[in-house]
Amino acid sequence: TLIQYSTNIVQLLSSVKREIANILNSYYEEGIRTVVLFGAADTAEVVHLAIKETQLVMIGVVDNDPSKHGKPFNGLLIQSPEEVRRINPDAVIITSFARQEEIYNFIKGLVGKKTKVKKLSELT
């Protein structure tokens, strides 16, 4: 039934959010305080929910898709990836499953060594 299905989905979301929050807490222990999410899609929504369960602060959201730039995402406006330098977070979390290595290398090239870059695949 729809109610059972919905209950299962909510329980699964809660479990995933808790697991991601645990990993994000380890980022806090590394000295990370502020983060930018790379990729404004469904996965970023879940990561954002998990961030709210931690002491981390999301200070930006960036995406390669120009049609998303300037649109709202949980209280912030989606910006181009080049804005990461100006935003200057402690870390960028890549929330996209597609092309993670390519995005990682691109962001590392933008921010250098001062900003950590974390891949979603590392959240497992």
Side-chain angles (χ1 to χ4, degrees):
T1 68
L2 179 58
I3 291 174
Q4 184 61 45
Y5 178 74
S6 297
T7 300
N8 290 343
I9 294 296
V10 168
Q11 289 172 344
L12 181 60
L13 175 61
S14 180
S15 176
V16 168
K17 184 176 71 167
R18 192 170 37 254
E19 289 298 316
I20 292 173
N22 287 339
I23 290 150
L24 294 173
N25 279 323
S26 74
Y27 294 174
Y28 190 85
E29 292 167 11
E30 287 180 39
I32 294 170
R33 300 294 180 266
T34 59
V35 298
V36 164
L37 302 186
F38 188 109
D42 292 338
T43 308
E45 294 281 355
V46 176
V47 173
H48 175 254
L49 289 172
I51 287 171
K52 290 164 68 172
E53 309 271 321
T54 72
Q55 293 180 282
L56 297 176
V57 178
M58 183 177 79
I59 60 171
V61 180
V62 299
D63 198 287
N64 275 333
D65 183 351
S67 71
K68 293 181 181 181
H69 298 169
K71 295 197 171 143
F73 181 93
N74 294 299
L76 297 168
L77 294 179
I78 301 167
Q79 301 178 62
S80 79
E82 288 76 16
E83 290 298 309
V84 168
R85 283 184 287 212
R86 184 188 56 75
I87 299 168
N88 196 27
D90 295 327
V92 175
I93 300 173
I94 302 169
T95 60
S96 171
F97 284 112
R99 302 183 352 255
Q100 283 191 41
E101 227 23 72
E102 179 184 328
I103 294 168
Y104 177 88
N105 291 330
F106 172 69
I107 291 295
K108 276 311 261 183
L110 281 178
V111 298
K113 294 180 180 177
K114 65 185 174 88
T115 301
K116 295 178 181 179
V117 180
K118 303 288 190 174
K119 295 181 226 168
L120 188 61
S121 59
E122 295 169 346
L123 297 179
T124 56

